[in-house]
Amino acid sequence: MRNPTKSNIEAKTQDDRILGVIEGNPSGPTVVVVTGLHGNESAGVDAAQNIFNMLDGIQPQIDGRLIILRANLPALEHNVRYLDEDMNRLWFPSIIEKIRDTPEARIKSNERRQMKRLLPILDSIEEGSHTPVVLADVHTFSAEGSMFSITSSDPRQRELLSNLYVPMVFEIEKSLRGTALGYYQEKGFISFGLEGGQHENELTEYNITASLLLLLHAVGSIKKQYVEKIKEYERHLKEHTKHLPVETELVYQHIIEPGDGFAMRPGYSNFQRIKKGEWLANDNKGKIIAQTDGYILMPLYQKQGNDGFFIIKENEG
Ligand SMILES: [Zn+2]
C-alpha cells in the first residue's frame, strides 16, 4: 500500500497549504485537520499550528499520521470568508468532477481553484490510509458563545466525539448542502465540523487546540501521559461546556436569500435559550420571529454567509 509521505504529498502541490505532516507508527489512524475553508476563521489555523508544534518530534512518536491543511489561502490572506463563492458549499460530486476536469488557468472562481489544489492532497491521504480517515473541519463563528461540533448521529461519530466534551449538533450536516464534511462522510470518512468559538475571541484558539488534542487521544494517536497539558485541556472543555446539552438536533434553519437585508437583533449568543414567538431578526419583509422554542445557534453577525441562524433542541433519542 502506498503511504504518502510529506515529500510526496508536497510534490503534488506548488503552494504551502500543507501546514504540517507528522508520521509516526504506521499502524495507527490517519487524522486530517482542515482549517481555513473560510478565510476569516484563522483561529483554527493557529490552533492547528499549536498542535503541530506540540507533537512534531515527540517521543514516543504518535501512532499513525496527522496531516494539517489550510484550505483557502487567498481568503485567509485577506481575512474574508471567501473571495468569489463559499468554499464550504461546493462539495458536490458534479462540481468536484468539473473542477478536476478543468485546467486551473480556465477556472474563474478563486474557491474552485483552491479546491483544484486541495483535492489531490486529500486524494493521496485517502489512498494511503488503511483505516477510515478521521477528518476534523475546523471553523469559528460570528456570534459569541460556546463551541460545538456538527456531526451525523452515526454511532461511530457519536462515540468518538463524546470524548471531546464538545456539544454535538445533529442534522445540520444534512441541511447545509455542499459541505466538505458531508462529502467526506459520504466517502466513508469519520468527518465532522468543529466550531471553536467566536472568530476573534481569545478563548477560541484555546478551545480548538484543546479539542483537537482530545480527539487525537480519543482515536489513539497519542497517550495522555505524553502530552503535558492534556489534563488541563480536558478540564477546560468540561468546564466550558458543562451547562450545555450533550446532544442536540436541528429544528429550524433561517436561510438568507441575496438582497434580503437580513439583520440579526443584537445580543444573541450560541446556545442562548429562545421562546416561540420571540423577535430574533429583521429583513426587508419585516420582523423574523422564532418558529419554536429551543436554543439559538450561529446567529449571523457578519456580512458574508447564507444562514441567518439555526434553532436546535435537546436530542431526546
Ligand atoms: Zn466556517
Side-chain angles (χ1 to χ4, degrees):
M1 184 162 306
R2 204 160 60 83
N3 187 21
T5 61
K6 183 171 182 174
S7 50
N8 79 30
I9 293 175
E10 278 176 345
K12 289 176 182 256
T13 170
Q14 297 302 310
D15 54 47
D16 55 353
R17 77 191 57 238
I18 301 172
L19 193 149
V21 177
I22 301 177
E23 296 182 300
N25 175 359
S27 64
T30 296
V31 177
V32 184
V33 178
V34 177
T35 67
L37 267 171
H38 294 136
N40 60 332
E41 302 180 4
S42 60
V45 182
D46 297 338
Q49 180 75 58
N50 295 339
I51 296 288
F52 182 76
N53 296 345
M54 239 181 276
L55 300 181
D56 190 29
I58 198 172
Q59 287 299 334
Q61 63 182 356
I62 71 164
D63 272 327
R65 298 183 299 160
L66 168 65
I67 299 125
I68 300 172
L69 305 174
R70 295 189 302 156
N72 193 345
L73 299 182
L76 280 165
E77 201 176 304
H78 290 92
N79 191 29
V80 290
R81 185 174 170 92
Y82 55 82
L83 300 185
D84 297 315
E85 53 188 330
D86 193 326
M87 194 175 170
N88 203 23
R89 300 291 184 274
L90 293 173
W91 298 78
F92 295 98
S94 56
I95 292 181
I96 286 173
E97 207 174 302
K98 211 164 135 193
I99 291 172
R100 289 186 192 279
D101 291 347
T102 311
E104 190 179 321
R106 284 181 37 210
I107 300 178
K108 291 200 179 73
S109 148
N110 165 68
E111 278 67 30
R112 292 182 196 221
R113 282 194 302 273
Q114 295 299 299
M115 279 175 69
K116 177 96 182 163
R117 294 190 172 201
L118 186 59
L119 284 164
I121 302 171
L122 288 161
D123 293 346
S124 70
I125 293 167
E126 185 185 9
E127 284 162 23
S129 188
H130 46 85
T131 51
V133 175
V134 177
L135 186 148
D137 176 21
V138 178
H139 291 263
T140 58
F141 44 80
S142 61
E144 289 296 343
S146 171
M147 73 179 305
F148 62 97
S149 60
I150 294 177
T151 172
S152 77
S153 55
D154 172 320
R156 253 185 350 173
Q157 306 228 146
R158 238 158 135 163
E159 198 193 316
L160 177 61
L161 290 173
S162 65
N163 295 294
L164 272 55
Y165 308 105
V166 172
M168 290 175 244
V169 183
F170 304 137
E171 301 295 325
I172 287 191
E173 106 284 3
K174 287 188 197 143
S175 76
L176 290 180
R177 300 190 59 240
T179 62
L181 83 94
Y183 178 77
Y184 283 103
Q185 204 164 275
E186 287 289 306
K187 284 172 78 79
F189 286 37
I190 297 177
S191 93
F192 60 93
L194 196 60
E195 297 278 351
Q198 201 274 342
H199 300 319
E200 276 99 32
N201 190 307
E202 280 174 14
L203 206 55
T204 302
E205 180 185 330
Y206 189 79
N207 289 341
I208 300 169
T209 307
S211 43
L212 287 176
L213 210 61
L214 292 194
L215 171 71
L216 289 164
H217 175 251
V219 298
S221 299
I222 54 169
K223 297 199 169 47
K224 256 185 198 172
Q225 62 269 32
Y226 301 158
V227 181
E228 208 183 314
K229 292 179 88 178
I230 197 161
K231 287 214 174 79
E232 183 186 321
Y233 288 138
E234 201 174 59
R235 264 198 307 275
H236 165 74
L237 287 176
K238 276 187 188 168
E239 185 62 30
H240 180 69
T241 61
K242 71 177 180 195
H243 55 292
L244 300 173
V246 178
E247 296 186 348
T248 55
E249 60 182 35
L250 178 70
V251 286
Y252 181 81
Q253 174 187 17
H254 185 86
I255 295 169
I256 306 173
E257 300 273 10
D260 270 1
F262 176 87
M264 194 72 211
R265 296 188 72 210
Y268 283 101
S269 59
N270 256 0
F271 291 98
Q272 184 172 329
R273 276 181 190 279
I274 55 159
K275 287 264 165 236
K276 185 175 179 176
E278 191 168 329
W279 176 20
L280 299 175
N282 295 300
D283 66 11
N284 296 338
K285 285 186 234 105
K287 288 184 179 182
I288 297 165
I289 301 296
Q291 308 282 317
T292 171
D293 291 351
Y295 300 92
I296 199 158
L297 200 71
M298 289 193 284
L300 189 72
Y301 290 110
Q302 63 186 15
K303 289 214 172 71
Q304 288 182 311
N306 307 330
D307 299 293
F309 58 86
F310 299 85
I311 301 175
I312 56 172
K313 270 191 173 159
E314 204 148 344
N315 184 24
E316 257 122 61

